[in-house]
Amino acid sequence: MTADALTAKIRRLIALNGPMPVSDYMAICLLDPDHGYYTRSEPFGKDGDFITAPEISQLFGEIIGAWLINTWRRLGRPTPFVLAEAGPGRGTLMKDILRAGTIDPAFADAAQPTLIEASPKLRAVQAATLADAAGRTVWLDSLDQLPDLPLIMVTNEFFDALPFRQFILHEGKWVERCVGLNEEGVLQWQLGTAQLSTDQIPANITQAAQEGAIYEISPSRENTMAVIAKHIAQHGGAAINFDYGHTETAIGDTFQAVKKHTFADPLDTPGNADLTSHVDFDALSRSARTEGAFTFPIMTQGEFLLQCGLLERAGQLGANKPSALQVQIRADVQRLAGNEPEDMGDLFKVFCIAQSDQVALAPFSQ
C-alpha cells in the first residue's frame, strides 16, 4: 500500500476518463479504501504531519467544553441530546470536552457522546482515547445517521478536509481546473470540460477577476453544513465550527498539502500528505440560513478563546507548577490565540449556528 500504487491508480483513472477534478483527486488521495491518506496513516500530533488545536493543549478542549455547557443551558437544558463531533481525529477534543462536562452532572447525564467517523483505523484510536466513556460513546458513519434529538455539535478542522472544486478564468470563461497527465505520465494541472457561468459566481468576483484567476467552490462542504443546519432547525440545538479560511467569498488558490508539518506540492506523492483548502465561511453561512438555522457573526479563534476565559484557565492550570510547565502553557496560549504567522489566533475562524435568533450564545453577538 504505497503512494506509488495510488499514483498508478490515479493515472489509470485519468487515462480512462480524462482530467480529474480537484474534488475527485482530493477524495481519492484522502479516502481511497486501500491507499488513502486517512486509511493508511495516523497524521495527527507532533509525530504526525500536522498538529491540531486539541493536541496543542487541553486548554482548547476545556474552554470549548465550558462553552458547550453554557450553550446547553441557554437552549433550555434538553434531555437527552446528542453531543457530536465530526472529524474527531484521535478523540482528544471529545475527551477534554467530556472531562470539562463533569462540572455540571446534569449536562454529563443528558449528553450522548457521538463521533462521526467512517475510518475504522481512526475509530480504533478514538476508542482507546475515550476508554473512560466506552459504554456511552456512539460512532456513526455519516451525519445522515444522527438520531432525531436536539444536537449540540463541534467540529475542528473538519470542513477544510472535505473536497472542493477549482475554476480558472481562461479566455473569458470559468473552466474547471483538473489534474491530468503530461506526455511522460506525470501528474500536472490541466483544463477540464466543465464550466461555471458568470451568474453562478458573485458579481464582485467576476468584476475583479483577471485572466488566470482561480475561484473555489465546495458543494460537499455546503451540503454538509446544510445537513447540520437542517437537523438543528428541526430538532433544536447549536453547532460551533473551528477552521481556517476566509469570511467573505474571494478569488485565490488555497489548495495545499502538508507533510511532516511542512507545505508540499499537492500533486506530489498522492496519499502521502494531508490535502486541504481554506474554508469559505460566507458560503457555509448561506447554506445554513437556507435550511432555517440562525448564523452568528464569525469570530477569530483568538477572540473566541480569550473572551471565553483562556487566560484565566491558563493561570489556574499553571498555578504553583514548575516554571518549565508555566513556560509551556504560555507558549500554548500564544499558539492557540496569538496573531503571529505560526499562531492560530487570526487564521482560524469560529462559525456558530443555532436553532433560532432567540438563542443568545456568548461571546457571539447577534
Side-chain angles (χ1 to χ4, degrees):
M1 305 304 181
T2 66
D4 288 344
L6 185 58
T7 300
K9 184 173 184 177
I10 292 171
R11 284 175 180 150
R12 288 195 301 270
L13 289 171
I14 293 173
L16 182 65
N17 302 313
M20 180 180 291
V22 171
S23 54
D24 293 348
Y25 176 76
M26 186 172 177
I28 194 171
C29 286
L30 296 179
L31 302 173
D32 181 81
D34 296 318
H35 316 297
Y37 179 71
Y38 288 129
T39 306
R40 296 185 301 106
S41 63
E42 185 187 327
F44 311 100
K46 295 178 181 178
D47 295 329
D49 291 324
F50 58 89
I51 187 166
T52 60
E55 304 288 346
I56 291 173
S57 171
Q58 69 186 71
L59 289 165
F60 184 75
E62 289 176 351
I63 292 294
I64 294 174
W67 184 88
L68 293 172
I69 293 172
N70 185 57
T71 295
W72 175 71
R73 293 169 179 169
R74 294 291 182 92
L75 292 170
R77 301 171 183 261
T79 303
F81 76 96
V82 178
L83 175 61
E85 182 184 2
R90 296 199 296 196
T92 304
L93 177 55
M94 181 60 77
K95 179 179 180 180
D96 291 339
I97 287 171
L98 293 177
R99 184 176 64 254
T102 59
I103 296 171
D104 186 334
F107 170 88
D109 289 342
Q112 295 185 358
T114 302
L115 301 182
I116 317 300
E117 178 60 70
S119 167
K121 181 179 178 64
L122 288 176
R123 280 192 181 194
V125 174
Q126 294 153 12
T129 302
L130 297 169
D132 291 342
R136 303 170 53 204
T137 306
V138 175
W139 276 265
L140 302 177
D141 289 327
S142 71
L143 291 164
D144 296 328
Q145 298 174 337
L146 286 167
D148 293 339
L149 291 171
L151 171 67
I152 300 179
M153 186 170 189
V154 60
T155 69
N156 181 64
E157 295 198 51
F158 169 66
F159 284 96
D160 67 82
L162 298 180
F164 72 109
R165 299 171 69 185
Q166 290 186 325
F167 290 83
I168 186 167
L169 186 58
H170 176 70
E171 297 179 352
K173 297 179 180 180
W174 290 96
V175 184
E176 185 149 30
R177 191 186 192 212
C178 294
V179 179
L181 301 173
N182 65 13
E183 294 179 355
E184 287 75 37
V186 177
L187 299 178
Q188 68 171 17
W189 295 113
Q190 291 182 356
L191 295 178
T193 57
Q195 295 184 18
L196 278 182
S197 61
T198 53
D199 60 5
Q200 295 175 281
I201 303 173
N204 65 305
I205 299 294
T206 57
Q207 292 167 3
Q210 303 291 324
E211 178 76 7
I214 292 175
Y215 176 63
E216 300 176 343
I217 64 171
S218 180
S220 178
R221 293 172 189 171
E222 293 170 30
N223 292 339
T224 298
M225 176 51 67
V227 172
I228 297 170
K230 183 177 182 179
H231 187 105
I232 287 173
Q234 291 181 346
H235 304 289
I240 188 167
N241 310 281
F242 297 79
D243 225 314
Y244 53 88
H246 41 275
T247 57
E248 295 183 359
T249 301
I251 292 171
D253 177 7
T254 71
F255 194 21
Q256 62 188 38
V258 176
K259 182 171 178 59
K260 296 300 180 184
H261 306 274
T262 301
F263 290 112
D265 186 333
L267 301 187
D268 284 349
T269 59
N272 255 12
D274 186 42
L275 300 179
T276 66
S277 74
H278 286 207
V279 175
D280 182 349
F281 289 100
D282 195 7
L284 293 190
S285 296
R286 293 193 296 269
S287 182
R289 289 193 295 269
T290 298
E291 297 299 330
F294 177 74
T295 62
F296 293 89
I298 295 168
M299 302 181 70
T300 67
Q301 180 171 296
E303 292 171 333
F304 174 85
L305 293 176
L306 292 172
Q307 291 187 40
C308 286
L310 176 65
L311 295 181
E312 291 79 3
R313 177 58 186 141
Q316 294 171 353
L317 196 62
N320 302 316
K321 297 296 193 303
S323 59
L325 179 58
Q326 293 178 348
V327 169
Q328 183 61 54
I329 291 172
R330 286 194 292 271
D332 293 343
V333 168
Q334 176 67 31
R335 182 78 185 280
L336 291 172
N339 56 13
E340 295 299 321
E342 297 299 318
D343 298 334
M344 296 179 170
D346 285 345
L347 175 62
F348 279 72
K349 309 300 188 299
V350 189
F351 174 50
C352 181
I353 68 173
Q355 62 196 43
S356 78
D357 59 2
Q358 300 303 305
V359 179
L361 298 181
F364 299 96
S365 59
Q366 289 182 284

